[in-house]
Structure formats: structure tokens, C-alpha cells
């Protein structure tokens, strides 16, 4: 079996695949202080909840924006007898990267572009609601054109909590019922969630004007489904896009 791993700054998303079929998807906290042994223990425990085990994993595919955690995963794989470990770098994913400095782009963004274009075969804008909110543009021919980076929604909400004396921490699992908040929490939810929805619609509208052909707008990341409800531009939600990109890369490589 193949374990596809998307290592982000806040969470690491994992997908256990049999061929191209996703058997189990889960997320763990991206803990820089975790040892390879502790990582193996956590993974095996989570997999056993679904009647799998780490011993069944023959290949690990890693897309990472956190180099110290990449090393931890590699050491864990070596210690526990996993036969193959591949760390995917952006320039080797296999699609043209039309940037001034291609080495600067994160592997997750290019993997999203690869998976999105493979699925839709047309111009795309991919909005990823993660630690940062990223907008990635893909041409009709499947080239990565660039994009934009904004603060993450959760990071913005946490900043309000940590940097102000009177504003509380809030949960973001439900959209606000109205734009004009009638109490502190509803006002904060309106500002954060509806604010980022407006940011999404506005930035996508500007980017779309720079495409030769009208792009399809898709979203991924932890808050993608709730943001689709509040935006006017998002057409589809693809929750496993980065993991699917890793599998597509590996299939092409093989």
C-alpha cells in the first residue's frame, strides 16, 4: 500500500492508497518535536482504527513545506522497514512552472495544479484554505502560472484572539447568519469568514481577467466546504487534491 503525505505548517494530511483508490484519510498535528519512533506509534495507532497497519505500507510519498519534518518522516520510514520513500520537489513534479524563481513555490501548490489539471483539463484557479490561503493559476495547457498568497483563515482568527484583550477565541465550523453581527462573536465570524469570502471572490475576479480562457474555480483545504457556501465563485471542492497529486506523480514516474 502507498501512504501519501502532505506535510503542512499546521497539519499533516495523510492518505492510505491501494493503487489509486483512497482507503483512509486522516490528519495529524505537524509536531516539530516529534521523534521518528513517536511518529510511527501515532501512525500505526491511527491506521489500526481502520484495520490497517504501518507494516502494510510499502511506499511513502512526501510533499512537504516543512523540511525538519521531512527528515523525521524519512528516518521513521528507514527505521520501520518501509521499502520506498520519495520526497517530491516542485521542479520534478512534471508540469511547466512559469515563475521567475521556480524553486520558491511549495510542492503542495504544484501538486494541486497537477491533480486539478489532470481531473479537469482546462484553465483553473485553485484556492487552498490552509495555514495560508493560496490561489494557484493553471493554464489551459496545464502549466503552473503563479498565484497569490494571503493569510490563512485560522491564523487570522487566532491573531484576533492573541493580539486583542477583549476578543475571544471562536469556532469557524458554521457561517454567520448575517453580515451585520449583533454580538462580538457574530461580528468576528462575519469579519473573518465573510471577509475571506469577499477576498476570494475579489481576487479570483481579478485573476480571471488575466487568463486567455475562462478558468474553472476549485477549492481545497480544511475550510473549503464552508467557504464554498459563502463565495460566489467556487464551483467545486476537492478535499484530497494534494494527496491525489502525489499519486498521479508516482503513477507517471512508475
Amino acid at each position: 500500500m502507498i501512504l501519501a503525505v502532505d506535510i503542512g505548517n499546521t497539519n499533516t494530511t495523510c492518505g492510505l492508497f491501494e493503487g489509486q483508490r483512497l482507503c483512509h484519510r486522516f490528519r495529524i498535528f505537524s509536531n516539530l518535536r516529534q521523534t521518528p519512533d513517536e511518529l510511527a506509534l501515532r501512525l500505526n495507532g491511527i491506521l489500526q482504527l481502520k484495520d490497517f497497519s504501518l507494516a502494510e505500507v510499502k511506499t511513502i510519498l512526501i510533499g512537504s513545506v516543512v523540511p525538519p519534518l521531512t527528515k523525521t518522516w524519512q528516518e521513521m520510514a528507514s527505521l520501520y522497514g518501509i521499502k520506498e520513500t520519495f520526497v517530491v520537489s516542485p521542479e520534478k513534479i512534471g508540469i511547466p512552472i512559469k515563475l521567475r524563481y521556480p524553486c520558491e513555490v511549495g510542492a503542495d501548490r504544484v501538486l494541486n495544479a497537477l491533480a486539478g489539471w489532470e481531473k479537469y483539463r482546462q484553465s483553473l484557479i485553485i484556492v487552498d484554505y490552509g495555514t495560508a490561503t493560496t490561489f494557484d493559476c493553471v493554464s489551459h495547457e496545464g502549466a503552473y502560472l503563479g498565484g497569490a498568497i494571503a493569510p490563512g483563515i485560522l491564523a487570522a482568527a487566532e491573531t484576533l484572539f492573541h493580539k486583542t484583550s477583549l476578543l475571544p477565541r471562536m469556532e469557524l465550523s458554521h457561517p454567520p447568519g448575517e453580515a451585520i453581527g449583533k454580538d462580538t462573536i457574530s461580528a468576528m465570524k462575519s469579519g473573518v469568514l465573510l471577509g475571506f469570502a469577499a477576498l476570494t471572490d475579489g481576487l479570483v475576479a481579478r485573476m480571471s481577467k488575466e487568463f486567455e480562457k475562462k478558468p474553472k474555480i476549485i477549492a481545497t483545504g480544511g475550510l473549503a466546504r464552508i467557504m464554498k457556501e459563502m463565495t460566489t465563485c467556487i464551483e467545486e471542492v476537492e478535499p484530497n487534491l494534494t494527496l491525489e497529486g502525489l499519486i498521479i506523480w508516482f503513477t507517471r514516474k512508475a
Side-chain angles (χ1 to χ4, degrees):
M1 302 193 84
I2 301 170
L3 186 63
V5 182
D6 172 25
I7 303 175
N9 288 290
T10 303
N11 292 304
T12 296
T13 305
C14 305
L16 186 67
F17 287 82
E18 187 170 17
Q20 296 191 19
R21 182 175 68 89
L22 179 61
C23 302
H24 182 37
R25 177 182 180 272
F26 59 94
R27 300 169 78 191
I28 60 175
F29 181 64
S30 295
N31 184 357
L32 289 169
R33 302 178 67 180
Q34 185 169 238
T35 68
D37 294 315
E38 290 171 328
L39 175 59
L41 182 65
R42 292 181 71 191
L43 290 174
N44 199 49
I46 292 170
L47 290 172
Q48 286 180 348
L49 292 173
K50 294 290 185 178
D51 297 322
F52 298 106
S53 75
L54 190 59
E56 296 177 71
V57 176
K58 305 305 179 187
T59 302
I60 293 183
L61 309 177
I62 299 173
S64 175
V65 295
V66 190
L69 277 177
T70 305
K71 184 179 179 181
T72 302
W73 276 85
Q74 289 175 303
E75 290 179 3
M76 182 277 297
S78 178
L79 283 170
Y80 289 90
I82 294 168
K83 292 181 179 179
E84 297 179 313
T85 304
F86 298 98
V87 179
V88 182
S89 58
E91 65 274 14
K92 294 182 179 180
I93 287 172
I95 65 174
I97 300 175
K98 305 294 187 179
L99 299 180
R100 293 190 185 95
Y101 310 107
C103 62
E104 292 182 350
V105 67
D108 55 340
R109 300 179 69 185
V110 185
L111 287 165
N112 284 347
L114 171 65
W117 190 81
E118 188 74 19
K119 182 167 287 191
Y120 294 102
R121 298 285 175 146
Q122 66 173 93
S123 303
L124 297 168
I125 297 176
I126 303 168
V127 190
D128 189 343
Y129 295 101
T131 304
T133 302
T134 58
F135 297 76
D136 296 307
C137 300
V138 185
S139 74
H140 188 75
E141 294 77 23
Y144 181 81
L145 300 175
I149 304 172
I153 297 173
L154 293 176
E158 283 296 294
T159 298
L160 284 177
F161 171 66
H162 287 293
K163 298 295 184 180
T164 58
S165 298
L166 297 178
L167 297 181
R169 179 176 273 130
M170 59 179 165
E171 61 85 26
L172 298 173
S173 60
H174 300 287
E178 51 196 2
I180 301 174
K182 298 298 193 294
D183 54 62
T184 299
I185 290 292
S186 62
M188 291 172 67
K189 289 182 72 172
S190 177
V192 172
L193 291 176
L194 294 181
F196 271 87
L199 180 150
T200 299
D201 286 333
L203 196 49
V204 164
R206 287 174 178 262
M207 287 179 163
S208 296
K209 294 177 182 177
E210 299 179 21
F211 277 78
E212 293 181 6
K213 297 183 179 181
K214 184 178 183 299
K216 186 178 185 69
I217 317 302
I218 64 176
T220 190
L223 290 172
R225 292 196 185 281
I226 188 172
M227 293 306 294
K228 184 178 185 297
E229 297 178 33
M230 293 179 289
T231 62
T232 60
C233 67
I234 295 174
E235 299 171 69
E236 302 288 346
V237 173
E238 298 286 350
N240 303 314
L241 204 60
T242 313
L243 300 179
E244 291 168 357
L246 284 165
I247 295 297
I248 292 167
W249 172 85
F250 182 67
T251 301
R252 287 184 175 183
K253 178 184 180 302

